[in-house]
Amino acid sequence: LYSMEEASSFFSHDMLWKTLTSTVLATLCIAIYYGNLKRYSMLSLEIGETEESLLTQFTEAPLYIIMGALGGIFGALFNNTYAFMTKSRRNFYKTFEGNKKTFVALKLTESALLSILTSTIMLTFTWKVGVCRVSDEMDEEFDPSFLRRYNCEPGQINELGTLLFGSRSEER
């Protein structure tokens, strides 16, 4: 819901609803094609499938309240940081509006530095946090060319490396 709220601030409402509708329909079509509606759902309420007592359900409520409050705080922090950075960048680049070459060079430098920083963080995170697993444990549905070995022994794959750097295309 938070991502929907954020997207609705920047996109027109018509486009947002069209995107949401097409995403839901695409997910439904994929689920119907593979014959498993439960596997492709983002949210499973599991109503009536658990044997939890009413006391257990009420003791989980504070956790959900805390998670919601933290989500709101981090969302507000993100929004304020983004607004501050946008305003700062706008003021910084206003000083170079007259000099087109410097303006373009600064924009390109900013893009390059951001790209290098993001790539370095992702690669370091994959090496330090990624867990190596034996590739035989993977489901049969995984394409072996999709799996990545980053910093693992032969015959093992790095789950986080596969998630972040794996191929997004299917070759079937």
Side-chain angles (χ1 to χ4, degrees):
L1 291 176
Y2 175 73
S3 58
M4 290 288 291
E5 177 188 342
E6 287 305 307
S8 68
S9 332
F10 298 104
F11 297 130
S12 68
H13 290 283
D14 289 341
M15 182 176 165
L16 181 70
W17 285 112
K18 288 176 186 176
T19 305
L20 178 65
T21 304
S22 62
T23 304
V24 169
L25 289 176
T27 304
L28 179 66
C29 290
I30 290 171
I32 289 172
Y33 177 76
Y34 284 111
N36 188 356
L37 293 176
K38 208 171 195 181
R39 180 173 180 215
Y40 291 95
S41 66
M42 285 288 279
L43 178 66
S44 176
L45 296 177
E46 297 178 3
I47 297 174
E49 293 182 16
T50 60
E51 298 288 329
E52 294 180 357
S53 68
L54 191 57
L55 178 64
T56 306
Q57 292 175 1
F58 278 120
T59 55
E60 291 175 351
L63 175 66
Y64 297 136
I65 292 169
I66 291 170
M67 285 174 48
L70 286 175
I73 290 169
F74 285 130
L77 180 67
F78 175 82
N79 289 340
N80 288 332
T81 304
Y82 182 77
F84 173 75
M85 288 179 63
T86 301
K87 202 178 296 183
S88 299
R89 287 179 66 238
R90 188 179 305 130
N91 291 336
F92 176 75
Y93 284 122
K94 272 185 184 177
T95 59
F96 297 101
E97 281 181 349
N99 191 348
K100 184 85 169 160
K101 286 185 179 183
T102 306
F103 181 77
V104 170
L106 284 172
K107 285 281 203 172
L108 289 174
T109 303
E110 180 187 24
S111 298
L113 288 175
L114 188 61
S115 175
I116 291 169
L117 177 69
T118 305
S119 299
T120 304
I121 289 172
M122 286 176 55
L123 191 61
T124 304
F125 194 66
T126 301
W127 280 342
K128 300 294 181 187
V129 179
V131 176
C132 295
R133 261 183 38 180
V134 178
S135 61
D136 294 340
E137 295 177 8
M138 301 306 293
D139 294 338
E140 294 175 3
E141 291 184 22
F142 277 100
D143 182 13
S145 66
F146 176 75
L147 304 175
R148 300 289 178 247
R149 235 190 80 202
Y150 297 99
N151 208 27
C152 291
E153 300 293 326
Q156 294 183 341
I157 55 116
N158 187 320
E159 291 178 333
L160 190 58
T162 299
L163 179 67
L164 293 176
F165 298 112
S167 171
R168 302 298 188 266
S169 63
E170 290 187 33
E171 298 176 17
R172 290 184 183 192

Short mmCIF file of all heavy atoms in Angstrom, two decimals, residues 9-41:
data_model
loop_
_atom_site.label_atom_id
_atom_site.label_comp_id
_atom_site.label_asym_id
_atom_site.label_seq_id
_atom_site.Cartn_x
_atom_site.Cartn_y
_atom_site.Cartn_z
N SER A 9 1.51 9.71 -6.02
CA SER A 9 1.92 11.10 -5.91
C SER A 9 2.58 11.60 -7.19
O SER A 9 2.59 12.78 -7.45
CB SER A 9 2.91 11.33 -4.79
OG SER A 9 2.79 10.45 -3.77
N PHE A 10 3.17 10.69 -7.96
CA PHE A 10 3.93 11.10 -9.12
C PHE A 10 3.25 10.75 -10.45
O PHE A 10 3.58 11.31 -11.48
CB PHE A 10 5.33 10.46 -9.10
CG PHE A 10 6.12 10.89 -7.90
CD1 PHE A 10 6.30 10.04 -6.83
CD2 PHE A 10 6.67 12.16 -7.83
CE1 PHE A 10 7.03 10.43 -5.72
CE2 PHE A 10 7.38 12.57 -6.73
CZ PHE A 10 7.56 11.70 -5.67
N PHE A 11 2.34 9.79 -10.46
CA PHE A 11 1.66 9.39 -11.69
C PHE A 11 0.22 9.87 -11.64
O PHE A 11 -0.34 10.08 -10.56
CB PHE A 11 1.66 7.87 -11.86
CG PHE A 11 3.03 7.28 -12.01
CD1 PHE A 11 3.40 6.21 -11.23
CD2 PHE A 11 3.91 7.77 -12.93
CE1 PHE A 11 4.66 5.65 -11.37
CE2 PHE A 11 5.16 7.23 -13.08
CZ PHE A 11 5.55 6.16 -12.29
N SER A 12 -0.38 9.98 -12.80
CA SER A 12 -1.80 10.32 -12.82
C SER A 12 -2.58 9.12 -12.29
O SER A 12 -2.15 7.98 -12.41
CB SER A 12 -2.24 10.66 -14.25
OG SER A 12 -2.20 9.50 -15.05
N HIS A 13 -3.73 9.38 -11.73
CA HIS A 13 -4.52 8.30 -11.14
C HIS A 13 -5.00 7.31 -12.20
O HIS A 13 -5.07 6.11 -11.94
CB HIS A 13 -5.71 8.88 -10.36
CG HIS A 13 -5.29 9.57 -9.11
ND1 HIS A 13 -4.92 8.88 -7.99
CD2 HIS A 13 -5.14 10.89 -8.81
CE1 HIS A 13 -4.58 9.74 -7.04
NE2 HIS A 13 -4.70 10.97 -7.52
N ASP A 14 -5.31 7.80 -13.39
CA ASP A 14 -5.72 6.89 -14.46
C ASP A 14 -4.61 5.90 -14.81
O ASP A 14 -4.84 4.71 -14.94
CB ASP A 14 -6.12 7.68 -15.72
CG ASP A 14 -7.43 8.43 -15.54
OD1 ASP A 14 -8.19 8.06 -14.62
OD2 ASP A 14 -7.68 9.37 -16.32
N MET A 15 -3.39 6.42 -14.94
CA MET A 15 -2.27 5.54 -15.28
C MET A 15 -2.00 4.55 -14.14
O MET A 15 -1.71 3.39 -14.38
CB MET A 15 -1.02 6.37 -15.54
CG MET A 15 0.16 5.55 -15.95
SD MET A 15 1.51 6.65 -16.36
CE MET A 15 2.86 5.52 -16.34
N LEU A 16 -2.11 5.01 -12.90
CA LEU A 16 -1.88 4.14 -11.76
C LEU A 16 -2.88 2.98 -11.75
O LEU A 16 -2.49 1.83 -11.57
CB LEU A 16 -1.99 4.94 -10.46
CG LEU A 16 -1.76 4.15 -9.19
CD1 LEU A 16 -0.29 3.77 -9.10
CD2 LEU A 16 -2.17 4.97 -8.00
N TRP A 17 -4.15 3.26 -11.96
CA TRP A 17 -5.15 2.21 -11.95
C TRP A 17 -5.02 1.28 -13.14
O TRP A 17 -5.25 0.07 -13.03
CB TRP A 17 -6.56 2.80 -11.87
CG TRP A 17 -6.83 3.31 -10.48
CD1 TRP A 17 -6.99 4.60 -10.11
CD2 TRP A 17 -6.91 2.53 -9.29
NE1 TRP A 17 -7.17 4.69 -8.75
CE2 TRP A 17 -7.13 3.42 -8.22
CE3 TRP A 17 -6.81 1.18 -9.00
CZ2 TRP A 17 -7.26 3.01 -6.91
CZ3 TRP A 17 -6.94 0.76 -7.69
CH2 TRP A 17 -7.16 1.67 -6.66
N LYS A 18 -4.64 1.82 -14.29
CA LYS A 18 -4.40 0.96 -15.46
C LYS A 18 -3.24 0.02 -15.20
O LYS A 18 -3.29 -1.17 -15.54
CB LYS A 18 -4.13 1.81 -16.70
CG LYS A 18 -5.35 2.51 -17.24
CD LYS A 18 -4.98 3.41 -18.41
CE LYS A 18 -6.18 4.23 -18.86
NZ LYS A 18 -5.83 5.17 -19.93
N THR A 19 -2.16 0.54 -14.59
CA THR A 19 -1.00 -0.28 -14.27
C THR A 19 -1.35 -1.36 -13.25
O THR A 19 -0.98 -2.53 -13.41
CB THR A 19 0.14 0.60 -13.72
OG1 THR A 19 0.42 1.62 -14.66
CG2 THR A 19 1.38 -0.21 -13.44
N LEU A 20 -2.07 -0.99 -12.21
CA LEU A 20 -2.47 -1.96 -11.19
C LEU A 20 -3.36 -3.04 -11.80
O LEU A 20 -3.16 -4.24 -11.55
CB LEU A 20 -3.20 -1.25 -10.05
CG LEU A 20 -3.72 -2.17 -8.94
CD1 LEU A 20 -2.56 -2.83 -8.22
CD2 LEU A 20 -4.58 -1.40 -7.97
N THR A 21 -4.33 -2.64 -12.61
CA THR A 21 -5.24 -3.60 -13.23
C THR A 21 -4.49 -4.55 -14.15
O THR A 21 -4.70 -5.77 -14.12
CB THR A 21 -6.35 -2.87 -14.01
OG1 THR A 21 -7.01 -1.97 -13.12
CG2 THR A 21 -7.34 -3.84 -14.59
N SER A 22 -3.59 -4.02 -14.97
CA SER A 22 -2.84 -4.89 -15.89
C SER A 22 -1.92 -5.83 -15.13
O SER A 22 -1.75 -6.99 -15.52
CB SER A 22 -2.06 -4.06 -16.90
OG SER A 22 -1.10 -3.26 -16.25
N THR A 23 -1.33 -5.37 -14.03
CA THR A 23 -0.46 -6.24 -13.22
C THR A 23 -1.27 -7.38 -12.59
O THR A 23 -0.85 -8.53 -12.61
CB THR A 23 0.23 -5.42 -12.13
OG1 THR A 23 0.95 -4.36 -12.73
CG2 THR A 23 1.16 -6.27 -11.30
N VAL A 24 -2.41 -7.05 -12.06
CA VAL A 24 -3.27 -8.08 -11.44
C VAL A 24 -3.73 -9.08 -12.49
O VAL A 24 -3.69 -10.30 -12.27
CB VAL A 24 -4.47 -7.42 -10.73
CG1 VAL A 24 -5.50 -8.45 -10.33
CG2 VAL A 24 -4.01 -6.64 -9.52
N LEU A 25 -4.14 -8.60 -13.65
CA LEU A 25 -4.59 -9.51 -14.70
C LEU A 25 -3.46 -10.37 -15.24
O LEU A 25 -3.66 -11.56 -15.52
CB LEU A 25 -5.24 -8.71 -15.84
CG LEU A 25 -6.60 -8.10 -15.51
CD1 LEU A 25 -7.10 -7.24 -16.66
CD2 LEU A 25 -7.62 -9.18 -15.18
N ALA A 26 -2.26 -9.80 -15.36
CA ALA A 26 -1.11 -10.59 -15.83
C ALA A 26 -0.76 -11.68 -14.82
O ALA A 26 -0.51 -12.84 -15.20
CB ALA A 26 0.09 -9.68 -16.07
N THR A 27 -0.78 -11.34 -13.54
CA THR A 27 -0.50 -12.34 -12.51
C THR A 27 -1.56 -13.43 -12.51
O THR A 27 -1.25 -14.62 -12.39
CB THR A 27 -0.43 -11.67 -11.12
OG1 THR A 27 0.54 -10.63 -11.17
CG2 THR A 27 -0.05 -12.66 -10.05
N LEU A 28 -2.81 -13.05 -12.66
CA LEU A 28 -3.89 -14.03 -12.72
C LEU A 28 -3.73 -14.95 -13.92
O LEU A 28 -3.90 -16.17 -13.80
CB LEU A 28 -5.24 -13.31 -12.77
CG LEU A 28 -6.47 -14.22 -12.84
CD1 LEU A 28 -6.61 -15.03 -11.56
CD2 LEU A 28 -7.72 -13.42 -13.10
N CYS A 29 -3.39 -14.38 -15.08
CA CYS A 29 -3.20 -15.21 -16.28
C CYS A 29 -2.04 -16.19 -16.11
O CYS A 29 -2.14 -17.35 -16.52
CB CYS A 29 -2.97 -14.32 -17.50
SG CYS A 29 -4.42 -13.40 -18.00
N ILE A 30 -0.94 -15.74 -15.51
CA ILE A 30 0.19 -16.64 -15.28
C ILE A 30 -0.21 -17.75 -14.32
O ILE A 30 0.12 -18.92 -14.52
CB ILE A 30 1.40 -15.84 -14.73
CG1 ILE A 30 1.98 -14.96 -15.82
CG2 ILE A 30 2.47 -16.79 -14.20
CD1 ILE A 30 3.03 -13.98 -15.33
N ALA A 31 -0.93 -17.39 -13.26
CA ALA A 31 -1.37 -18.40 -12.29
C ALA A 31 -2.31 -19.41 -12.94
O ALA A 31 -2.21 -20.61 -12.69
CB ALA A 31 -2.05 -17.71 -11.11
N ILE A 32 -3.22 -18.95 -13.77
CA ILE A 32 -4.14 -19.86 -14.46
C ILE A 32 -3.38 -20.74 -15.43
O ILE A 32 -3.62 -21.95 -15.53
CB ILE A 32 -5.26 -19.07 -15.16
CG1 ILE A 32 -6.19 -18.47 -14.11
CG2 ILE A 32 -6.04 -19.96 -16.12
CD1 ILE A 32 -7.21 -17.51 -14.67
N TYR A 33 -2.41 -20.17 -16.14
CA TYR A 33 -1.62 -20.94 -17.10
C TYR A 33 -0.87 -22.08 -16.42
O TYR A 33 -0.83 -23.20 -16.90
CB TYR A 33 -0.63 -20.01 -17.82
CG TYR A 33 0.28 -20.73 -18.78
CD1 TYR A 33 -0.19 -21.16 -20.01
CD2 TYR A 33 1.61 -20.99 -18.46
CE1 TYR A 33 0.64 -21.82 -20.89
CE2 TYR A 33 2.43 -21.65 -19.32
CZ TYR A 33 1.95 -22.06 -20.55
OH TYR A 33 2.78 -22.73 -21.41
N TYR A 34 -0.25 -21.79 -15.25
CA TYR A 34 0.48 -22.82 -14.54
C TYR A 34 -0.43 -23.67 -13.65
O TYR A 34 0.03 -24.64 -13.06
CB TYR A 34 1.60 -22.21 -13.71
CG TYR A 34 2.78 -21.80 -14.56
CD1 TYR A 34 3.09 -20.47 -14.75
CD2 TYR A 34 3.57 -22.75 -15.19
CE1 TYR A 34 4.15 -20.09 -15.54
CE2 TYR A 34 4.64 -22.38 -15.98
CZ TYR A 34 4.92 -21.06 -16.16
OH TYR A 34 5.99 -20.68 -16.94
N GLY A 35 -1.69 -23.30 -13.50
CA GLY A 35 -2.65 -24.11 -12.77
C GLY A 35 -2.51 -24.06 -11.27
O GLY A 35 -2.95 -24.97 -10.57
N ASN A 36 -1.89 -23.03 -10.73
CA ASN A 36 -1.71 -22.94 -9.29
C ASN A 36 -1.94 -21.50 -8.84
O ASN A 36 -1.02 -20.69 -8.84
CB ASN A 36 -0.30 -23.40 -8.91
CG ASN A 36 -0.12 -23.51 -7.42
OD1 ASN A 36 -1.01 -23.18 -6.64
ND2 ASN A 36 1.03 -23.99 -7.01
N LEU A 37 -3.16 -21.20 -8.46
CA LEU A 37 -3.50 -19.83 -8.07
C LEU A 37 -2.85 -19.43 -6.75
O LEU A 37 -2.52 -18.28 -6.54
CB LEU A 37 -5.01 -19.67 -7.95
CG LEU A 37 -5.79 -19.78 -9.26
CD1 LEU A 37 -7.27 -19.70 -8.99
CD2 LEU A 37 -5.38 -18.68 -10.22
N LYS A 38 -2.63 -20.40 -5.86
CA LYS A 38 -2.09 -20.08 -4.56
C LYS A 38 -0.60 -19.69 -4.63
O LYS A 38 -0.13 -18.85 -3.89
CB LYS A 38 -2.24 -21.30 -3.65
CG LYS A 38 -2.35 -20.97 -2.21
CD LYS A 38 -2.71 -22.21 -1.44
CE LYS A 38 -3.19 -21.83 -0.08
NZ LYS A 38 -3.52 -22.96 0.73
N ARG A 39 0.13 -20.28 -5.56
CA ARG A 39 1.57 -20.04 -5.65
C ARG A 39 1.89 -18.62 -6.10
O ARG A 39 2.90 -18.06 -5.71
CB ARG A 39 2.18 -21.03 -6.62
CG ARG A 39 3.66 -20.86 -6.77
CD ARG A 39 4.25 -21.95 -7.59
NE ARG A 39 5.68 -21.73 -7.70
CZ ARG A 39 6.37 -22.01 -8.75
NH1 ARG A 39 5.80 -22.59 -9.78
NH2 ARG A 39 7.65 -21.78 -8.80
N TYR A 40 1.07 -18.03 -6.93
CA TYR A 40 1.38 -16.74 -7.51
C TYR A 40 0.71 -15.57 -6.79
O TYR A 40 0.72 -14.47 -7.27
CB TYR A 40 1.02 -16.71 -8.99
CG TYR A 40 1.93 -17.59 -9.78
CD1 TYR A 40 1.58 -18.90 -10.08
CD2 TYR A 40 3.16 -17.14 -10.20
CE1 TYR A 40 2.42 -19.71 -10.79
CE2 TYR A 40 4.02 -17.94 -10.91
CZ TYR A 40 3.65 -19.23 -11.20
OH TYR A 40 4.50 -20.03 -11.89
N SER A 41 0.13 -15.81 -5.65
CA SER A 41 -0.52 -14.70 -4.94
C SER A 41 0.49 -14.04 -4.01
O SER A 41 1.35 -14.70 -3.44
CB SER A 41 -1.71 -15.21 -4.14
OG SER A 41 -1.29 -16.06 -3.12
#
